[in-house]
Amino acid sequence: MAIYTLHATVVDKRTNETLEADTEFNIKIHDINDNEPKFSKDLYFASVPEMSDVGTSVIQVTATDADDQTYGNSAKLVYSILQGQPYFSVDSDNGTIRTALPNMDRETKENYQVVIQAKDMAGQMGGLSGTTTVSITLSDENDSPPRFANHTFRLSTLESAEVGAAIGRIKANDADVGRNAEMQYSIVDRDGQDMFTIISDQNTQEGVIRVKKQLDYEKQRTYSFKVEVTNTYLDPRFMYSPNPPFKDDAMVRVTIEDVDEPPVFSRNPYIIEVHEDTAAGSFVGVVSARDPDADNNSVKYSIDRHTDLERLFNIDSVNGTITTLKGLDREMSKWHNISVVATEISNPRQTTRVPVFIKVLDVNDNAPEFAMYYETFVCENVQSGQLIQTISAVDTDEPLVGHKFVFSISSSNPNFTIVDNEDNTARILTRRAGFSRREMNTYLLPVVISDNDYPIQSSTSTLTVNVCACDSRGNMQSCNTEALLSAGLSTGALVAILLCVIILLMIVVLFAALRRQQRKKEPLIISKEDVRDNVVSYNDEGGGEEDTQAFDIGTLRNPEVMDANKLRRDIIPEMLFPFQRTSPIKDNADVREFIHGRLHENDSDPTAPPYDSLATYAYEGSGSLAESLSSLESGCVEGDQEYDYLSNWGPPFKKLADMYIGKDTARET
């Protein structure tokens, strides 16, 4: 604080009475130079374009001094440059840094460190000072032209290189950076412009040379041309500087290398014309191909049979002559497109295809005929000379001057005549009046049609003319001959005839049905191999001996107790036969023998069911290791059975073993 204010009052200490009024004292502190100047930053960054004029402002740096600026020179600052001369200078009053040298080149030196000092006391001896550092960078300007490091480039490529393929790269250098370093290349010479093109790679700034036209080693083996490079973006300030021009050039020499090429046809494609009446083995045309290599190897010819499936043509493998194998018909096919393959004899992998289009020229070998099928009629009440039909013709041939047909009929025809309209059509007229369907309901009129080409072709087409009943205005009403028969019969008569026919049909059907019923029925089962659709399958598992509901075991053991007069209840027999009792089976007979016996009896029984039946007779025989557990086939009493083997069957049969083995033990006891 530069000024302090004090207030003083005189007071009696004993009585605390004010003895003197309040007095104000102002105390001013005189400043001394005890604060040094300070910059706002310790390090400043700035840039200035290269090649700037002398005195170009770069940046202004300022410092502050805490001393009193109104008292003496303690706060009066003076700026000076301690480091950075002679490139830059500083304004001593305001600290503005400016360029001090002309033509400062970024490519020579890009970064500068400048130290600025601020000193108080107007820069006099004993003053305090502060410093700061300014980092100055020269920004790039397009002041450097592109330059080729080498002014001669040598490239090589195969003559088989495809159009658009890159064959090499060339590069120029530009000391500038960024946008100012972008370059574009161009071919200057006419020779190079015709065969090659060059583009600039924006990533690497290289010139990429590409093939513009197909190369041929046999025609030209080397190419030399000049390539020029310039900056894409030019700065007018430097285009006319004393420096060299802002472009550079170099010579490019391209060497073409030979490869084994396939044969080349003299034309592509071939179009050949041949008349359709050409006989088999006739000459059609010639194709020619050669080896473009310097060796000029021999070539053989062949036809791709996938393009000549009918094998109409043949070619001489040596001279390429195409001939016919069959006769050609233009009306079947006007063009034949085949492919001829030329192959180097020394290297069969080198092949070339060429399309051959064979046009079949027309020959007048087809006669004209009716353009369509005509449904022609003539009225019974027609007058002589009346038009009944207009006809036209078509011809599959195609004469150069167009079609011209001539129509004619026999002059001796008493019913009809023909008039040629001279426009490839003709009119059919009646020669007499009055036609009758009773006399003739259809007339066949032969019409001769001829063309005017060479050789003249003619054909006879038949026009069918029906005689029809017409009204007074000539509108057709009926052409059927059956209408004449029905004209004399009334509707009632026709209905009666129809009913008679139906009754006769019903009688025939009824008679046939009666005869079929009286016919003796044939046995349905002709042979044992006859298998019918109704198959009954018994696949239910029975309940064993404990199941007394399914059958009576006593009946199986004593078949003599069966009811002798009991008939089958599942069918109604057509005739009754006296019941024949079968011989009884002795006691304890094998159930299998019993079943087989009953099966034989049923097979020979004429009262058997008239339907297919499949019964399954399951028999548990002696093939089982444990033999049968049933008492049906047991030939001895229960006491003679031995059940000790049940104990050897394991836990599943433990309960059964305890039942039977325990029973035997109790019986013995």
Side-chain angles (χ1 to χ4, degrees):
M1 186 177 292
I3 299 175
Y4 293 90
T5 302
L6 301 178
H7 294 273
T9 303
V10 179
V11 179
D12 189 346
K13 295 174 66 176
R14 291 179 297 176
T15 62
N16 203 26
E17 180 181 356
T18 301
L19 300 180
E20 188 175 343
D22 185 54
T23 303
E24 180 178 303
F25 296 92
N26 293 321
I27 302 173
K28 185 177 182 180
I29 307 299
H30 291 283
D31 184 36
I32 63 174
N33 190 17
D34 58 348
N35 291 283
E36 62 183 17
K38 292 184 178 180
F39 289 93
S40 59
K41 296 180 181 179
D42 293 333
L43 178 63
Y44 290 85
F45 294 93
S47 64
V48 63
E50 63 174 335
M51 310 301 290
S52 297
D53 296 333
V54 176
T56 301
S57 175
V58 179
I59 191 176
Q60 182 180 8
V61 294
T62 57
T64 58
D65 195 328
D67 293 330
D68 189 1
Q69 297 182 4
T70 63
Y71 182 78
N73 294 327
S74 297
K76 186 176 182 179
L77 304 179
V78 174
Y79 297 93
S80 61
I81 185 169
L82 300 182
Q83 178 181 333
Q85 294 176 333
Y87 306 104
F88 300 95
S89 63
V90 64
D91 190 313
S92 60
D93 294 330
N94 55 26
T96 300
I97 301 175
R98 302 179 185 275
T99 58
L101 288 180
N103 301 327
M104 296 178 63
D105 192 1
R106 185 200 66 84
E107 288 73 30
T108 302
K109 186 176 181 181
E110 183 177 5
N111 297 312
Y112 296 86
Q113 297 291 328
V114 178
V115 179
I116 302 299
Q117 174 183 272
K119 190 174 183 181
D120 58 11
M121 296 299 292
Q124 298 178 3
M125 295 291 295
L128 301 178
S129 64
T131 61
T132 187
T133 302
V134 181
S135 178
I136 301 176
T137 302
L138 296 183
S139 60
D140 185 55
E141 296 291 327
N142 193 11
D143 61 333
S144 299
R147 290 287 181 264
F148 284 108
N150 298 319
H151 287 272
T152 301
F153 293 89
R154 297 182 180 275
L155 305 175
S156 62
T157 182
L158 298 175
E159 64 173 334
S160 60
E162 298 181 356
V163 174
I167 64 173
R169 292 171 175 257
I170 62 175
K171 182 175 176 58
N173 299 319
D174 192 330
D176 295 321
V177 294
R179 184 171 180 266
N180 297 324
E182 295 182 7
M183 296 173 285
Q184 59 184 9
Y185 299 84
S186 60
I187 298 176
V188 179
D189 295 342
R190 184 72 178 179
D191 187 21
Q193 291 176 349
D194 293 340
M195 302 302 298
F196 303 96
T197 184
I198 188 170
I199 61 173
S200 300
D201 189 331
Q202 298 300 323
N203 296 324
T204 62
Q205 297 302 318
E206 294 176 316
V208 182
I209 300 177
R210 299 180 180 273
V211 178
K212 186 177 182 180
K213 290 184 180 180
Q214 189 62 51
L215 304 173
D216 191 347
Y217 173 83
E218 287 71 28
K219 290 183 178 180
Q220 188 170 347
R221 302 183 180 183
T222 59
Y223 293 88
S224 296
F225 50 89
K226 182 185 293 185
V227 174
E228 188 176 85
V229 61
T230 60
N231 281 124
T232 304
Y233 306 99
L234 298 177
D235 192 337
R237 296 179 300 169
F238 304 103
M239 291 181 62
Y240 305 102
S241 63
N243 294 330
F246 268 73
K247 61 182 179 180
D248 198 9
D249 56 60
M251 290 298 299
V252 178
R253 182 181 179 87
V254 180
T255 302
I256 310 302
E257 298 179 359
D258 186 27
V259 296
D260 190 5
E261 299 175 276
V264 178
F265 282 93
S266 59
R267 284 189 293 168
N268 189 0
Y270 285 86
I271 300 178
I272 303 175
E273 295 181 348
V274 60
H275 287 88
E276 64 174 326
D277 60 349
T278 301
S282 300
F283 173 81
V284 176
V286 178
V287 297
S288 177
R290 65 175 183 84
D291 182 11
D293 296 322
D295 297 338
N296 193 19
N297 295 317
S298 299
V299 176
K300 65 177 181 179
Y301 304 92
S302 62
I303 295 177
D304 184 356
R305 289 305 173 185
H306 291 90
T307 62
D308 184 25
L309 297 178
E310 298 180 0
R311 300 185 70 87
L312 299 175
F313 304 96
N314 188 32
I315 189 171
D316 191 298
S317 62
V318 178
N319 56 29
T321 300
I322 300 176
T323 56
T324 59
L325 290 175
K326 299 178 182 178
L328 305 179
D329 188 356
R330 190 200 65 85
E331 285 69 36
M332 296 295 295
S333 179
K334 298 180 180 180
W335 287 87
H336 296 279
N337 304 330
I338 63 175
S339 294
V340 175
V341 182
T343 306
E344 284 188 19
I345 296 178
S346 60
N347 187 3
R349 292 179 298 177
Q350 297 295 338
T351 61
T352 303
R353 292 171 171 266
V354 66
V356 179
F357 304 117
I358 301 175
K359 181 179 181 180
V360 181
L361 301 178
D362 184 42
V363 173
N364 191 29
D365 57 349
N366 292 280
E369 57 186 11
F370 279 156
M372 58 180 293
Y373 174 75
Y374 295 101
E375 295 182 354
T376 306
F377 70 93
V378 60
C379 295
E380 289 181 309
N381 56 355
V382 71
Q383 300 297 322
S384 177
Q386 186 171 340
L387 174 66
I388 63 171
Q389 185 68 61
T390 299
I391 60 175
S392 62
V394 293
D395 192 342
T396 55
D397 295 323
E398 293 182 357
L400 298 177
V401 296
H403 292 293
K404 182 66 176 70
F405 302 126
V406 178
F407 301 87
S408 63
I409 62 176
S410 175
S411 60
S412 61
N413 192 307
N415 301 312
F416 305 98
T417 184
I418 189 169
V419 177
D420 197 330
N421 296 328
E422 303 294 336
D423 60 353
N424 293 334
T425 63
R427 292 172 293 165
I428 306 297
L429 306 177
T430 57
R431 177 167 285 184
R432 64 182 177 88
F435 289 83
S436 175
R437 283 183 292 170
R438 295 181 183 276
E439 296 177 359
M440 181 176 292
N441 64 337
T442 302
Y443 292 88
L444 300 179
L445 180 61
V447 179
V448 179
I449 309 174
S450 304
D451 58 22
N452 64 339
D453 204 357
Y454 179 83
I456 295 177
Q457 299 288 340
S458 63
S459 66
T460 300
S461 299
T462 301
L463 182 66
T464 302
V465 182
N466 296 316
V467 180
C468 302
C470 303
D471 58 16
S472 59
R473 290 177 295 181
N475 297 323
M476 182 184 65
Q477 291 182 337
S478 175
C479 294
N480 297 329
T481 57
E482 291 78 1
L484 294 174
L485 299 176
S486 62
L489 298 176
S490 63
T491 304
L494 293 177
V495 173
I497 294 174
L498 182 60
L499 289 176
C500 292
V501 173
I502 294 175
I503 292 173
L504 288 175
L505 291 176
M506 294 177 62
I507 293 173
V508 172
V509 172
L510 183 59
F511 180 75
L514 293 175
R515 290 291 301 273
R516 182 175 299 177
Q517 290 182 358
Q518 295 175 1
R519 191 176 302 164
K520 185 179 179 180
K521 292 186 178 180
E522 298 179 357
L524 296 177
I525 306 300
I526 299 175
S527 63
K528 294 182 179 181
E529 289 77 9
D530 190 4
V531 179
R532 304 301 173 93
D533 294 335
N534 188 13
V535 178
V536 181
S537 177
Y538 299 93
N539 53 6
D540 294 332
E541 182 179 358
E545 296 181 8
E546 300 296 332
D547 187 3
T548 60
Q549 301 296 328
F551 58 89
D552 187 2
I553 192 63
T555 303
L556 294 177
R557 292 179 176 177
N558 303 301
E560 64 274 7
V561 301
M562 296 177 60
D563 188 1
N565 297 323
K566 189 175 182 180
L567 300 177
R568 298 178 63 94
R569 293 178 296 175
D570 55 348
I571 63 170
I572 300 177
E574 295 182 357
M575 59 183 66
L576 297 176
F577 291 88
F579 180 78
Q580 296 180 0
R581 176 180 296 277
T582 58
S583 58
I585 301 177
K586 61 182 179 178
D587 294 341
N588 298 324
D590 195 340
V591 176
R592 179 170 59 179
E593 296 178 0
F594 167 74
I595 293 176
H596 285 173
R598 290 294 184 263
L599 178 61
H600 178 71
E601 293 175 6
N602 282 276
D603 288 342
S604 59
D605 187 1
T607 63
Y611 51 81
D612 295 337
S613 177
L614 177 62
T616 302
Y617 300 93
Y619 170 71
E620 184 179 5
S622 59
S624 174
L625 179 62
E627 298 182 352
S628 178
L629 300 179
S630 174
S631 61
L632 294 178
E633 66 174 350
S634 176
C636 57
V637 296
E638 185 178 358
D640 297 333
Q641 296 288 339
E642 294 292 338
Y643 301 104
D644 294 339
Y645 57 84
L646 294 177
S647 60
N648 299 327
W649 288 5
F653 296 92
K654 182 176 184 301
K655 184 65 176 179
L656 187 64
D658 294 341
M659 293 172 58
Y660 281 87
I661 296 176
K663 186 184 299 184
D664 292 343
T665 305
R667 184 182 294 108
E668 292 174 359
T669 304

